[in-house]
Amino acid sequence: MFTGLVEEVGRIQSISKSGEAMVLGISGSVVLGDLKIGDSVSVNGVCLTAIQIGTKDFKVDVMPETFRSSNLRELRSGSRVNLERAMAANGRFGGHIVQGHVDGTGTIRSVTSDQNAVVFEVEPSDQALFKYVLLKGSITIDGISLTVAQRTRNSFAVSIIPHTLAETALQAKHEGDTVNIECDILGKYVEQLLNYRGSAPMERADQAPLSLDYLAKHGFA
């Protein structure tokens, strides 16, 4: 588990591809402090496993599913990536619950200034993700824990403070670039529990999934 508080910006040193499988070599310093083979590292918000560790870099495997569902497939030698080690049990929980399980990608539609902040408008590639995008709720962009500041029919926006922009790879992102999106895990679990259609003995065949219409029909809304 991660918190979405990026520890440092690393750079891609090497990329070895075999179809949709990759091995990435990534430079770093902070994350190498106590990193061990088998440890989890968030790379642009994607939870990956360290398979080789050097004095100034480490390597991770990227499997086809991750290749297809994230922007790691767009990385080139020299690309900047956000890095975060898995949260220690005695660490501070400064962001929100981030699994490193990317839900999909989005395209940056605009980058605008708002006094001391920079606003990034993002359009998800899969509009189905919008059911998890809550105004003032948490969302992860390229591994950064952020708050949804605006929401429209087709996009959402996050407001970035100068410190976050300076300390993450987001500073190198522009209109048209892609970002990894991980929605708040709480919403996914709530949806699964409310709509679960398992084989519990007491479940009625005509029981409808919980919705606003269902609640209104039964006098709860």
Side-chain angles (χ1 to χ4, degrees), residues 149-211:
Q150 302 169 24
R151 189 183 187 279
T152 69
R153 291 182 58 186
N154 301 312
S155 65
F156 65 88
V158 290
S159 186
I160 314 296
I161 63 173
H163 175 78
T164 299
L165 197 61
E167 296 297 321
T168 67
L170 204 55
Q171 62 183 285
K173 295 280 186 175
H174 305 284
E175 183 178 328
D177 289 341
T178 60
V179 292
N180 291 323
I181 299 173
E182 181 185 333
C183 301
D184 194 344
I185 185 62
L186 297 178
K188 302 174 198 175
Y189 275 117
V190 169
E191 179 190 47
Q192 173 74 5
L193 289 170
L194 293 181
N195 295 318
Y196 181 63
R197 310 297 293 163
S199 56
M202 298 300 291
E203 184 178 55
R204 300 194 311 272
D206 64 344
Q207 185 177 3
L210 191 61
S211 65

Side-chain angles (χ1 to χ4, degrees), residues 2 22 24 26 39-50 58 60-63 65-73 75 81-86 98-105 140-144 179-182:
F2 306 93
M22 297 193 301
L24 300 176
I26 307 170
D39 283 353
S40 296
V41 183
S42 172
V43 179
N44 268 6
V46 182
C47 179
L48 299 174
T49 301
F58 64 98
V60 292
D61 275 319
V62 177
M63 60 183 176
E65 169 60 23
T66 303
F67 182 93
R68 292 189 289 263
S69 61
S70 74
N71 66 7
L72 296 187
R73 62 183 180 271
L75 294 175
V81 288
N82 294 321
L83 302 177
E84 181 192 354
R85 290 168 291 183
V98 178
Q99 292 186 302
H101 302 164
V102 171
D103 293 305
T105 60
T140 308
I141 302 297
D142 274 354
I144 308 167
V179 292
N180 291 323
I181 299 173
E182 181 185 333

